[in-house]
Amino acid sequence: MSRPSGDDDTPGAARRTPRTYWVAGTAVLLALLFAAAATVTAATGDTGDTGGGTARTPALHSPDAGFARDMAVHHQQAVEMSFIVRDRTQDEAVRTLAYDIANTQANQRGMLLGWLDLWGLPKVVAGEPPMSWMGTSGGSGTTGDSGSGGGHSGHGGHTGHGAGHTAKPGALMPGMATKEELARLDAASGRDAEVLYLQLMTDHHKGGVAMAEGCARQCGTPVERELAQGMVDAQRSELTLMADMLGQRGAAPRG
């Protein structure tokens, strides 16, 4: 059994954590409530189109489909890291944060994959670089687009990362941890595990926020755009919380 970190005995930590955590927790809860409503809306085909026409289905390489595929992969690693740290520390603040992140992102991942099923689109596209959809000019395209249309212009490399966000060597997408970093987290315990998790998750959230902002700008499906904005708001709140928690442990975000 891993030892407690002991940092919760710090008076400053006792004052700061509950208030900051309540703010982040509220943002996460709101994102989850919206996510549930968004799933029902998407499943019924109600996208707010009052023109009497049939709702458009996103094309294979549209921002809508690309975001759903890539964020599902991105979220899966966050869930994995959160389960790892819960077994490596007894610190309640870190364990609660990890639980909330795992629960929220697992639910959102299920929604994204469910939308791909509803749209009749694959969850994996051979030869499609991660986040290539972010290099498109926006719009969801339709199933009538050609196989290379609907925003497939970013396939010349990882040019779709945008906004200066690039994946570090060994990472699939910006913000994602490498296999070596995951192995370090798995081998750590107590305060070391807490600090490494918070640093890795901070990087992960920064990459996730950049991707979600891309969908909020470019995706053509209203409920997906709104879900993406909810991710941005919740993860920004958690970034503030994690910076505070790192400071309580005498550490800071990386880079």
Side-chain angles (χ1 to χ4, degrees), residues 206-224:
K206 288 177 179 177
V209 165
M211 195 194 311
E213 287 176 332
C215 179
R217 290 190 305 268
Q218 296 176 236
C219 288
T221 305
V223 291
E224 190 177 16

Side-chain angles (χ1 to χ4, degrees), residues 8 24 28 31 34 69 108 115 150 156 161 184 226 235-237:
D8 284 347
V28 170
F34 174 79
R69 285 190 290 266
Q108 291 174 344
W115 282 339
H161 291 168
R184 283 175 52 207
E226 292 167 8
Q235 291 191 27
R236 281 179 175 166
S237 181

Side-chain angles (χ1 to χ4, degrees), residues 124-168:
V124 177
V125 177
E128 180 179 64
M131 298 174 68
S132 57
W133 57 272
M134 290 187 72
T136 68
S137 60
S140 64
T142 68
T143 53
D145 292 336
S146 64
S148 60
H152 194 39
S153 60
H155 281 212
H158 288 217
T159 58
H161 291 168
H165 295 275
T166 57
K168 61 192 170 188

Side-chain angles (χ1 to χ4, degrees), residues 52-183:
T54 302
R56 297 198 310 170
T57 298
L60 177 62
H61 298 298
S62 63
D64 307 59
F67 173 74
R69 285 190 290 266
D70 286 345
M71 190 58 86
V73 173
H74 209 269
H75 272 18
Q76 179 58 34
Q77 187 182 76
V79 172
E80 178 185 356
M81 291 194 296
S82 296
F83 277 120
I84 290 174
V85 80
R86 279 179 60 82
D87 292 334
R88 300 296 181 269
T89 181
Q90 294 302 308
D91 183 270
E92 279 306 309
V94 173
R95 286 171 58 84
T96 301
L97 174 65
Y99 174 82
D100 285 347
I101 289 175
N103 190 49
T104 299
Q105 298 207 13
N107 284 327
Q108 291 174 344
R109 182 174 185 271
M111 290 173 53
L112 295 167
L113 296 176
W115 282 339
L116 289 170
D117 284 338
L118 286 170
W119 298 332
L121 298 175
K123 299 176 179 66
V124 177
V125 177
E128 180 179 64
M131 298 174 68
S132 57
W133 57 272
M134 290 187 72
T136 68
S137 60
S140 64
T142 68
T143 53
D145 292 336
S146 64
S148 60
H152 194 39
S153 60
H155 281 212
H158 288 217
T159 58
H161 291 168
H165 295 275
T166 57
K168 61 192 170 188
L172 183 62
M173 283 180 266
M176 292 187 70
T178 64
K179 290 181 180 179
E180 292 75 17
E181 288 171 329
L182 291 176

